Amino acid sequence: MADHPAASAPAKVLPKHARVVIIGGGILGCSVAYHLGKLGWRDIVLLEQGQLTCGTTWHAAGLVGQLHGSHASTEFAKYTVELLKTIEAETGQDPGYRESGSISIATNPERLAELKRKADFASLFGIEAHYLSSSEIERYWPLMNPEGVLGGILMPRDGSANPIDLTMALARGARQYQAQLLEGVQVQQVLVEGERAVGVVTDHGTITAESVVNCGGMWARALGQQHDVGVPLHACEHYYLVTEPIDALPRDLPVLRSYCDGTYFKEDAGKLLFGFAHHHAKPWATAGIPDPFAFESLPFVEDDVMDVIEMAMKRVPLLEEVGIRTFFNGPESYSYDGRFTLGTAPNLCNYFILAGLNSTGIQTGPGAGRALAEWIVNGYPTLDLSGMDPARCEAFQARDPYLQARCPETLVQTYAMHWPNYQRETARNIRRSPFHHRLREQGACFTEAQGWERPGWYAPEGVEPAYAYSFGRQNWFEYALDEQRAARERVAIVDYSMLGKISVEGSGAEAFLQRVCTNDMAMAYGRLAYSLLLNERGGIESDVTVARYADDRYMVMSSIARTRRDYLWLASLIEPEEPVRLRDETASFGVLGIMGPQSRALMAAVTELDVTPEAFPFNTFRECHIGHARVTAQRLSYSGELGWELFVTPDFAEHVLDVLLSAGEQFGIKLLGSEALNALRIEKGFVHWGHDLAYTESPHQVGLAFICKIDKVPAFLGREAYLQRKLEAKGPYLCSVKLKASAPLMHHNEPVLRDGQVVGYVTSGAFSAHFNCAVGLCLIDFPVDAHGKTVLPAGHYAVMIEGESIPAEVSVRPFYDPRNERMLS
């Protein structure tokens, strides 16, 4: 928050110390303060530079929808509805809640498929959702033009609230718990000593604190930048309109969301408020937020939204007849990836962040504030918030140039189709592997992860390498099946260069990794080991592969999205004076994965190595030459097939790829993208952290107890907690699921049924060329037997897909090669 003169206002008397200082008096800051108090904490101070709600909260539309894009955000919104019904009795402040319900409509089959999948998702939370025909929607919403409407979804418990009144209710509740909420106090800097936040400097003095919470809204990014704390959001211009009063406008009119038209409508005190998901979104305040800025709106530029206004008038023709009282444009914070930022700062202790809720602050803010308060009180998150982790953000993704390019796309995507495998279009081609140009020549259609461009699939000659999205079989479907078949039947090659590579060096490297890894790190040089990193609660912070290069040097390899997070986790565990150093070497090597029954023949053709099983067993690596390049070959597999991973320096990368492709012609070699690889790993039962497991799951739940060496010395971090959780035998447990029909597709989050009752959900899904059906991994809650073994209960299993119950087979073992015979051959 920028510094400016305090004018002639009298100096405020601030406390010298607080247990927690919360920066920002919008709905998020007030929610954190309220819930900390409710959890029994006192000595809480909230600081607001202007007045409560004066930033963006005051002009929110106030929609309260329960269903959101993730499990955590849906839990937040569901809690908000519960809170809205009780907070007036507790505080005496009416939050202005009206349970009018909501209706989402579709004007094309793909949107209808998406809405039906949303209704399926709602069943996981016990949220009421019903399909409506077009005629039924007309009865609920007689002002709507039904032209082109195919159907929709009714959610009776949705509604709206008054943003200011709800925030004031939270503020009043916080004060009842003795929190101090101080207005007109501008935080100029967070105080930091060493690697800890220890207070704040304000324009009225300094407050020391045990914890600092950044709920600064659109100011949160600049505040974080003072200490290299990445808060990946940017303010964007966001419009809505309010009509003149409309005679006989029903007060109980449900909120109408016309996603295909990019609009929403709600009754607002006898008027109609309608807002937009823009097609031409713009970042706001690219040179910095004006100071002061409170309760202010932005110029209304008609050309920015005229196309959407015209669609709104077609959908609700009455708008052509009534006047517009309010043309509103205000700033809203949007993140670069559409996910919240909630958790601890990656590089500072006791610095918490809650920001970037992408225009859902009223709906999800109370629940998000509660989640962060529980984290502060307990010292850890009480539910899976891994997708919101600030550590997911790379340094370049927290800089203004990136955010100004990417964040407006999040606003545009608010009402756009949420396609499976959707690829962002802005801020692309930032990070490229050393194979990039060669693979592009081969027809690669690139996807993006953490700024890396990686092949998603390969287009044959004459086909444009671009996604055509659908909830059904997308344009790349058959090409990816061919890539799968090559990996299962012949040999395939994939670009793994984005694989995280963290060098752990020093005389204490072995002892350090023994302490933080579940598997045995006292292995011989040239060996590899798959391992988990657990937290003190026995939850899985990451799964990694570790290679030992020397007495004092290891390489820890992790997935693309977790590289920074794993680095920071390892760094946090190094004890003072411990002789251990970390180096991120991700960009130092290009990596190619070779997989398939002919991969041994290919390796024999291009290297001088003896690649027989006896000479080159699984989980070992060797140095060799391919062509003129020195290469490290690791015998590993993420596909479940016989395979190797080849590490080469960037200068020789294209040369090695050319040698492999040329030699592989006789074996029917094929390039393989991430879409095919995902299907291969799913049918083999291989997990992906962040999808199939996170820090909430323990090894016994996901079939990874075999890499927890409980007898090794020293004991690994989290050992006792893991053993206790294993003894308690609490689920859910990760299983494999396979549809009995070949047409439907599983993507993610589909409910799993047993005898018609929801018992779990799909964590990852894809279509298997081998089985000619959709396969997936799923988390299911069921008891274990008296011997501690997971025994799947008998019953008729199914997966709910677009409102239909599709018969399925569920197994605690992977369907493909459960004995690992192919991978270990």
Side-chain angles (χ1 to χ4, degrees):
M1 299 184 181
D3 188 9
H4 69 85
S8 58
K12 295 182 181 292
V13 178
L14 305 184
K16 297 296 183 185
H17 179 81
R19 191 171 190 182
V20 179
V21 169
I22 301 166
I23 305 166
I27 191 167
L28 301 183
C30 290
S31 177
V32 174
Y34 166 77
H35 286 99
L36 283 172
K38 201 174 181 91
L39 290 168
W41 276 33
R42 300 296 179 262
D43 197 19
I44 309 301
V45 173
L46 180 147
L47 303 176
E48 165 55 48
Q49 64 179 345
Q51 299 176 43
L52 299 183
T53 77
C54 74
T56 58
T57 296
W58 71 276
H59 62 69
L63 303 184
V64 178
Q66 298 174 84
L67 200 59
H68 289 261
S70 72
H71 287 254
S73 57
T74 300
E75 291 284 4
F76 296 166
K78 184 179 178 183
Y79 169 75
T80 296
V81 171
E82 298 169 1
L83 182 72
L84 283 164
K85 296 177 179 178
T86 61
I87 197 166
E88 182 178 5
E90 179 184 354
T91 67
Q93 172 70 53
D94 179 4
Y97 177 57
R98 291 168 47 226
E99 193 178 86
S100 59
S102 73
I103 297 174
S104 299
I105 64 173
T107 61
N108 61 66
E110 290 285 8
R111 179 68 74 178
L112 192 59
E114 180 187 30
L115 292 180
K116 288 181 177 180
R117 284 177 176 270
K118 285 185 174 181
D120 296 342
F121 184 53
S123 69
L124 298 177
F125 304 90
I127 296 174
E128 190 177 354
H130 307 288
Y131 173 77
L132 296 180
S133 66
S134 179
S135 60
E136 289 173 318
I137 295 170
E138 278 192 87
R139 290 198 293 270
Y140 279 99
W141 239 89
L143 303 177
M144 182 194 75
N145 172 12
E147 181 182 355
V149 176
L150 303 181
I153 299 296
L154 167 68
M155 301 189 68
R157 304 281 80 83
D158 282 359
S160 61
N162 184 300
I164 293 178
D165 290 343
L166 173 56
T167 305
M168 291 306 178
L170 292 166
R172 183 175 291 187
R175 289 188 175 107
Q176 288 175 348
Y177 291 119
Q178 302 172 31
Q180 296 185 68
L181 279 63
L182 304 176
E183 297 176 304
V185 178
Q186 188 180 64
V187 174
Q188 299 169 331
Q189 182 181 347
V190 174
L191 277 176
V192 172
E193 291 183 1
E195 297 180 350
R196 304 177 70 86
V198 295
V200 296
V201 177
T202 81
D203 56 351
H204 290 277
T206 297
I207 306 176
T208 60
E210 297 168 27
S211 295
V212 175
V213 184
N214 183 350
C215 292
M218 57 185 174
W219 290 269
R221 181 186 80 260
L223 185 65
Q225 286 172 343
Q226 294 179 359
H227 299 289
D228 293 323
V229 174
V231 185
L233 60 82
H234 203 286
C236 298
E237 299 185 21
H238 189 38
Y239 292 75
Y240 64 73
L241 284 76
V242 183
T243 70
E244 295 288 352
I246 299 173
D247 293 338
L249 185 67
R251 291 278 295 170
D252 61 350
L253 201 65
V255 173
L256 180 69
R257 293 182 174 91
S258 183
Y259 289 107
C260 300
D261 301 316
T263 54
Y264 64 86
F265 307 84
K266 79 159 189 169
E267 190 278 335
D268 187 68
K271 303 178 285 294
L272 200 60
L273 181 153
F274 60 107
F276 322 103
H278 312 288
H279 299 152
H280 312 290
K282 296 186 297 188
W284 176 70
T286 55
I289 299 171
D291 190 16
F293 184 87
F295 295 115
E296 294 189 37
S297 60
L298 310 177
F300 193 96
V301 182
E302 196 172 279
D303 289 346
D304 287 348
V305 290
M306 182 49 67
D307 56 342
V308 192
I309 290 176
E310 290 175 354
M311 288 191 287
M313 289 180 172
K314 290 180 181 178
R315 186 57 57 204
V316 181
L318 181 65
L319 296 176
E320 297 180 355
E321 304 172 13
V322 299
I324 302 299
R325 170 173 290 187
T326 304
F327 291 84
F328 186 82
N329 178 15
E332 292 272 3
S333 296
Y334 291 87
S335 67
Y336 74 94
D337 58 1
R339 291 182 282 173
F340 303 175
T341 299
L342 192 165
T344 56
N347 52 334
L348 289 176
C349 298
N350 302 330
Y351 189 130
F352 296 87
I353 307 164
L354 175 54
L357 271 59
N358 303 300
S359 201
T360 69
I362 306 304
Q363 305 173 60
T364 60
R370 180 180 70 159
L372 187 59
E374 290 174 345
W375 190 331
I376 295 168
V377 170
N378 294 305
Y380 57 88
T382 54
L383 68 161
D384 180 6
L385 303 174
S386 56
M388 306 175 184
D389 190 347
R392 76 183 189 275
C393 173
E394 299 279 352
F396 74 91
Q397 293 173 315
R399 296 184 64 247
D400 289 1
Y402 181 86
L403 295 170
Q404 290 168 9
R406 175 59 70 89
C407 293
E409 187 178 1
T410 298
L411 172 53
V412 171
Q413 287 298 312
T414 303
Y415 273 21
M417 293 290 294
H418 296 90
W419 298 115
N421 315 306
Y422 176 76
Q423 298 300 311
R424 292 295 186 107
E425 297 176 356
T426 55
R428 292 293 299 267
N429 291 301
I430 294 173
R431 307 171 83 182
R432 301 173 181 175
S433 88
F435 306 106
H436 179 89
H437 296 289
R438 188 76 175 90
L439 298 180
R440 185 174 60 186
E441 293 170 359
Q442 297 291 318
C445 179
F446 289 96
T447 65
E448 182 261 338
Q450 297 301 97
W452 283 102
E453 298 290 327
R454 61 173 179 170
W457 51 279
Y458 288 86
E461 188 174 350
V463 174
E464 181 185 6
Y467 277 88
Y469 297 109
S470 168
F471 280 95
R473 301 186 175 196
Q474 297 185 9
N475 63 321
W476 50 265
F477 187 84
E478 292 296 336
Y479 311 139
L481 294 189
D482 287 342
E483 293 169 21
Q484 289 184 47
R485 294 186 189 103
R488 293 288 186 233
E489 300 167 9
R490 304 186 306 278
V491 61
I493 190 167
V494 66
D495 184 1
Y496 270 157
S497 300
M498 313 83 191
L499 178 81
K501 312 169 195 72
I502 302 169
S503 180
V504 182
E505 302 172 337
S507 59
E510 179 183 307
F512 170 71
L513 289 174
Q514 281 287 62
R515 192 175 77 247
V516 303
C517 293
T518 61
N519 212 337
D520 188 1
M521 296 293 105
M523 53 189 174
Y525 313 151
R527 294 289 301 179
L528 299 150
Y530 179 50
S531 182
L532 303 177
L533 308 177
L534 302 188
N535 54 44
E536 293 178 347
R537 304 175 303 284
I540 301 170
E541 288 290 337
S542 188
D543 66 321
V544 297
T545 300
V546 184
R548 186 164 198 175
Y549 287 104
D551 183 57
D552 59 352
R553 181 169 178 251
Y554 292 77
M555 180 78 80
V556 176
M557 291 156 281
S558 58
S559 76
I560 305 169
R562 289 202 318 274
T563 303
R564 184 179 185 225
R565 189 179 185 279
D566 287 352
Y567 183 97
L568 292 168
W569 177 257
L570 291 171
S572 72
L573 298 176
I574 298 175
E575 296 176 350
E577 309 303 323
E578 189 170 17
V580 175
R581 302 179 304 278
L582 303 181
R583 283 189 299 119
D584 185 351
E585 295 193 83
T586 301
S588 299
F589 299 95
V591 183
L592 294 172
I594 300 175
M595 63 201 75
Q598 292 295 325
S599 58
R600 176 172 283 120
L602 176 60
M603 286 292 289
V606 298
T607 76
E608 71 277 15
L609 293 173
D610 181 349
V611 292
T612 60
E614 298 77 19
F616 204 154
F618 188 72
N619 271 345
T620 62
F621 66 88
R622 303 282 187 270
E623 300 293 331
C624 63
H625 283 83
I626 295 178
H628 302 287
R630 187 167 180 82
V631 172
T632 299
Q634 300 183 159
R635 192 171 159 204
L636 290 173
S637 175
Y638 193 47
S639 65
E641 293 296 333
L642 172 69
W644 278 263
E645 294 175 359
L646 308 177
F647 286 61
V648 58
T649 54
D651 52 336
F652 282 101
E654 287 192 355
H655 168 64
V656 168
L657 177 60
D658 290 342
V659 170
L660 289 168
L661 290 176
S662 177
E665 288 182 4
Q666 61 181 311
F667 307 112
I669 196 168
K670 196 171 187 66
L671 290 165
L672 179 143
S674 59
E675 303 289 3
L677 181 63
N678 192 48
L680 297 174
R681 71 96 183 166
I682 289 171
E683 68 184 10
K684 184 64 183 74
F686 287 162
V687 297
H688 188 287
W689 196 95
H691 283 87
D692 312 306
L693 73 163
Y695 49 63
T696 44
E697 280 72 49
S698 196
H700 73 282
Q701 295 175 250
V702 294
L704 295 176
F706 71 97
I707 53 172
C708 295
K709 308 304 182 185
I710 60 174
D711 296 325
K712 72 169 183 170
V713 179
F716 56 82
L717 176 66
R719 174 185 179 276
E720 296 306 317
Y722 154 63
L723 291 175
Q724 181 61 34
R725 290 178 65 170
K726 185 178 181 182
L727 183 65
E728 294 170 356
K730 291 182 180 178
Y733 292 92
L734 193 68
C735 299
S736 291
V737 58
K738 181 173 64 173
L739 299 185
K740 293 183 178 180
S742 60
L745 299 180
M746 292 186 291
H747 300 300
H748 183 224
N749 280 334
E750 294 87 354
V752 177
L753 313 178
R754 183 174 63 244
D755 299 329
Q757 300 299 310
V758 175
V759 293
Y761 66 95
V762 174
T763 58
S764 296
F767 192 91
S768 164
H770 180 80
F771 292 111
N772 192 35
C773 64
V775 295
L777 297 174
C778 59
L779 281 170
I780 299 179
D781 211 349
F782 58 87
V784 299
D785 66 12
H787 303 290
K789 293 184 178 180
T790 51
V791 178
L792 193 68
H796 296 285
Y797 286 88
V799 176
M800 185 66 69
I801 300 176
E802 295 175 19
E804 294 188 31
S805 178
I806 310 298
E809 181 182 351
V810 176
S811 171
V812 295
R813 302 185 71 194
F815 293 112
Y816 186 81
D817 190 23
R819 298 178 181 272
N820 295 323
E821 292 172 342
R822 296 176 68 90
M823 187 171 68
L824 300 179
S825 64

